[in-house]
Amino acid sequence: MTAFDFINYAVAILTIALGMMGWLAPRWTMQQLDMQAGPSNMAYTEVSAASGCLFVGLGLGALILDQPLAWVVVGLAYAGAATGRVTSILRDDAASRQSWTFFACEAALAAWLVLGNFPAV
């Protein structure tokens, strides 16, 4: 295993771990993200699905397939998250240290996974 492979696996494990927190601890995740549930509590299912199991599935899929294209797909998901976050920061006046930090992490993971694995596709 190369150092490059090790970093890909570490990113997948991080993705799964963060996804599990969103899936299994949606209330805690929502507190960390400064989110609140409304009268229907739909927010909990949304966090469990979109911030939780979606990322568990992405990370597991990349680990199981272990192909360059699978790693690129995970990178594209992070690129989508980074794009959504930065547009919201600008559009919704949602700039904060936490928002910019999350954006930087998502953008960095996207760049690593897409640029590092795309030439091998």
Side-chain angles (χ1 to χ4, degrees), residues 6-71:
F6 178 78
I7 295 172
N8 277 350
Y9 296 152
V11 170
I13 292 166
L14 174 67
T15 300
I16 293 165
L18 292 172
M20 288 185 75
M21 291 181 348
W23 173 31
L24 300 174
R27 284 175 174 78
W28 179 84
T29 301
M30 289 171 62
Q31 287 174 343
Q32 302 312 305
L33 299 174
D34 193 25
M35 297 171 63
Q36 294 179 345
S40 72
N41 286 335
M42 174 71 181
Y44 298 120
T45 64
E46 186 63 23
V47 169
S48 291
S51 296
C53 282
L54 177 65
F55 284 92
V56 172
L58 280 169
L60 284 175
L63 284 174
I64 291 167
L65 296 174
D66 195 17
Q67 297 292 317
L69 188 56
W71 298 108

